[in-house]
Amino acid sequence: MKKTKFLSALIFLGFSIISFGQTADELKKELSSKKDSIAKLQSKADAIQKQINALHGWRKGAFGTIGASFSGFNNWYSRNAPNASAGNIGITVNGFANLIEDKFFWRNSGGINLGWVKLDDKAIVGDEDFETATDVFTITSLYGRRLDKKWAVSALAEYRTTLIDNFNNPGFLDFGVGFTWTPTERLVVVIHPGNYNFVFSKGNADFESSPEAKLVADYTATYHKLNVKSNLSVFTSYNDSNLSNWNWTNSFSYNLWKSLGLGFEFGLRNNKQEALNNALITDTTATFGTIDNKIQNYWLFGVSYAF
């Protein structure tokens, strides 16, 4: 009797294992089928979005990133300032409004990057406030009259300055004409040999306007949940190479839930006039030949929001 019960239990266990294995295999097959269905639906959605992008009329969009960190120390003797608090806040916003028609286009974009930092040493009076760390404001407007599907005669206006500190001091206004190449909906390349760079400054600031050639490459794309924008502006002065400069900004936003996600932005800049103006604050004898013109850079990582 005991042997019979043992064999029955063993047989039942075997059938249970087989049944579980079959159930797991069936679930895996079902999961694979669902993933294939999702991939097919996503492919169809991407195709529809591509058709929407090809339609004429206005196209608008924006996304931004907010990053912040705060910390405090009390009697933390391994630090030079054992009693202190620190904070870092950064905000970026990138937006565009483009009018695309058969015979012409009008592309407009703007970007803001603001950052504040604070290191409050409780033993020192007067350092409690946040100070500006990053301050960038840029707006561009490009109009083009089509020669064919990819080339157009164009005019571009671009303005760059700061918002929080020293607004329009300096301010850079570029206006030029030339050609624009649009090999795809995502990439716009501006080639303007006739361009003038107006520089606005006050006081003892050392800036100079000049005629120049201008090259701009702007890439804007959405890959499912990832938004990408990269903009490179290069200015080559006809008067003096010391007046030339370039700016390159890159923004990434990945949606995690609805319009919320993670964002990352970094920028690089080379501007010898700005480097000289900064050097003159502490050294009144500084010249273009004596300054160390390092590449400027900033970055921000935080929570993003797509409008």
Side-chain angles (χ1 to χ4, degrees), residues 253-307:
S253 174
Y254 187 83
N255 292 339
L256 296 176
W257 180 72
K258 293 185 178 182
S259 296
L260 292 175
L262 295 176
F264 176 69
E265 176 166 325
F266 74 92
L268 302 174
R269 172 184 293 179
N270 186 287
N271 191 315
K272 206 164 187 178
Q273 291 193 84
E274 290 182 347
L276 176 59
N277 186 62
N278 181 265
L280 288 171
I281 297 175
T282 55
D283 181 6
T284 57
T285 64
T287 64
F288 281 124
T290 62
I291 61 172
D292 184 11
N293 181 32
K294 297 180 179 180
I295 294 178
Q296 306 172 49
N297 70 87
Y298 72 84
W299 64 271
L300 173 67
F301 177 77
V303 177
S304 67
Y305 186 85
F307 300 91

Side-chain angles (χ1 to χ4, degrees), residues 186-264:
R186 298 171 176 175
L187 178 63
V188 179
V189 180
V190 179
I191 307 168
H192 283 181
N195 192 84
Y196 199 88
N197 177 227
F198 299 91
V199 184
F200 309 98
S201 61
K202 304 173 185 178
N204 297 323
D206 190 10
F207 291 95
E208 183 180 345
S209 303
S210 71
E212 60 188 3
K214 182 170 182 175
L215 174 67
V216 178
D218 186 274
Y219 183 81
T220 304
T222 298
Y223 300 96
H224 190 29
K225 294 184 178 182
L226 177 65
N227 297 308
V228 179
K229 182 174 178 59
S230 180
N231 182 276
L232 173 66
S233 296
V234 180
F235 313 87
T236 303
S237 174
Y238 291 135
N239 289 350
D240 187 344
S241 61
N242 290 318
L243 306 181
S244 301
N245 61 81
W246 58 265
N247 297 268
W248 186 30
T249 58
N250 300 271
S251 301
F252 305 89
S253 174
Y254 187 83
N255 292 339
L256 296 176
W257 180 72
K258 293 185 178 182
S259 296
L260 292 175
L262 295 176
F264 176 69

